[in-house]
Amino acid sequence: MGIRLKIPKNHVRAASLRKREELIDAEEKGILAKAGLIAHGRGEAFDYILGEATIPAALFATRAAAASLILARHPVLSVNGNTAALVAKETVDLAEAIPADLEVNLFYRDRRRELAVKSTLVKAGASKVLGVGRRASAHIPELFSERRKVDPNGIFSADVILVPLEDGDRTMALKKMGKFVVTIDLNPLSRTSQAADVTIVDNIIRAMPNLTKAVEELRGLSRQELKGILERFDNRRNLSETILFMRDRLTALAKEE
Ligand code: ATP
């Protein structure tokens, strides 16, 4: 398939419309589940409120996320259909910069989608992809069906995990396993945003390259300095600032003549 809709370059929502077409294409190729399209729409609504821009609270969280990933003993980046469809190359770049393992982690897991996500990552330059086929043989306690499968050499044994656009039940189960959870989620009110240790409220399209940049910038710091960055970060406070930012932006828009 390919991009079918002709989007005029000067269309005010051209970038967002192009992303929608890419996601439809990914759904047709089996990379993305239909529900992934709906999840994207929920994200877009929050991005509209943010002004489709990275806000200071997101950059602050990005530095804390980078510090935690550099400090990790075994960091793993979880990749679902939306992540593969939108930022495969940027995710591979981040995995190389840290360095971290990449694991296919699907809410709607089936063999075809696992392989489609893996091959998207391999085409984007990944040399090793965990969580596919029999490799996904460990279970997240308290979850049922295919949603609970993880790789014993990946998420199961990781200490720090990046789980972008994740479902709340799984995030909470990962927290109960003692994982340090970093997420990227445009909705500051989602259970994932609220349960994670570090939440970057931003579009994954902007957040992923920002995170790689932060890893490259902070890599030279001592462990003590990195721990200091993490200690100064409070996820609840940062989420509150994000919600207040949204409120203030809406108030300003409402007052515009
Ligand atoms: P939860 O279960 O955590 O309460 P949810 O049911 O909304 O939340 P899902 O639909 O499983 O969660 O996950 C999708 C999440 O990803 C949503 O919160 C949505 O706002 C967010 N999201 C969708 N697209 C993007 C994107 N491009 N960048 C960042 N976040 C996104």
Side-chain angles (χ1 to χ4, degrees):
M1 274 286 145
I3 311 258
R4 289 141 302 188
L5 184 68
K6 262 210 145 342
I7 302 164
K9 279 205 177 68
N10 59 352
H11 189 293
V12 69
R13 314 216 59 74
S16 150
L17 291 177
R18 226 172 284 126
K19 286 297 160 197
R20 284 187 183 178
E21 288 296 310
E22 283 175 29
L23 286 166
I24 292 168
D25 197 34
E27 191 277 324
E28 284 167 357
K29 287 182 178 143
I31 298 166
L32 189 67
K34 284 199 170 59
L37 296 171
I38 299 170
H40 184 75
R42 180 176 290 166
E44 278 184 331
F46 285 96
D47 208 11
Y48 219 115
I49 299 174
L50 285 175
E52 294 177 320
T54 301
I55 67 169
L59 282 178
F60 191 52
T62 300
R63 280 174 69 79
S68 70
L69 289 162
I70 300 169
L71 282 168
R73 169 186 50 80
H74 181 195
V76 174
L77 313 186
S78 156
V79 183
N80 63 11
N82 292 61
T83 304
L86 292 172
V87 285
K89 169 83 175 65
E90 293 78 359
T91 308
V92 173
D93 289 348
L94 176 64
E96 275 172 16
I98 296 169
D101 281 331
L102 289 164
E103 174 164 345
V104 177
N105 182 25
L106 303 175
F107 190 87
Y108 299 97
R109 189 182 274 277
D110 66 42
R111 188 90 182 112
R112 180 174 171 238
R113 186 159 304 117
E114 274 180 1
L115 292 174
V117 172
K118 178 181 175 181
S119 96
T120 307
L121 290 171
V122 169
K123 272 189 212 138
S127 49
K128 184 170 101 180
V129 180
L130 301 171
V132 179
R134 259 177 285 166
R135 272 177 170 278
S137 58
H139 293 160
I140 303 176
E142 295 177 47
L143 290 182
F144 302 98
S145 73
E146 298 298 292
R147 294 167 59 191
R148 65 180 176 168
K149 287 188 172 175
V150 283
D151 195 312
N153 299 315
I155 289 176
F156 193 77
S157 56
D159 55 345
V160 179
I161 331 168
L162 172 67
V163 282
L165 285 63
E166 182 57 287
D167 151 73
D169 291 333
R170 284 210 305 208
T171 305
M172 289 190 275
L174 290 168
K175 279 301 304 164
K176 279 199 185 150
M177 286 172 79
K179 311 292 181 194
F180 188 94
V181 175
V182 178
T183 193
I184 300 168
D185 192 325
L186 275 161
N187 178 4
L189 305 170
S190 77
R191 290 174 308 153
T192 293
S193 287
Q194 300 280 331
D197 295 283
V198 179
T199 304
I200 303 170
V201 180
D202 200 6
N203 197 317
I204 196 169
I205 296 162
R206 298 186 296 270
M208 207 53 103
N210 281 343
L211 190 48
T212 305
K213 218 165 110 208
V215 166
E216 277 157 5
E217 277 168 18
L218 300 184
R219 215 193 337 241
L221 298 186
S222 68
R223 290 187 72 80
Q224 213 46 42
E225 287 169 312
L226 292 168
K227 282 181 189 160
I229 291 176
L230 266 186
E231 276 158 20
R232 286 190 292 279
F233 182 78
D234 177 337
N235 205 42
R236 295 220 73 85
R237 194 162 12 132
N238 209 52
L239 285 172
S240 297
E241 275 178 28
T242 305
I243 295 165
L244 292 174
F245 179 97
M246 289 177 165
R247 179 200 65 179
D248 292 346
R249 185 157 189 277
L250 289 174
T251 305
L253 288 172
K255 283 184 183 154
E256 265 176 20
E257 295 289 299

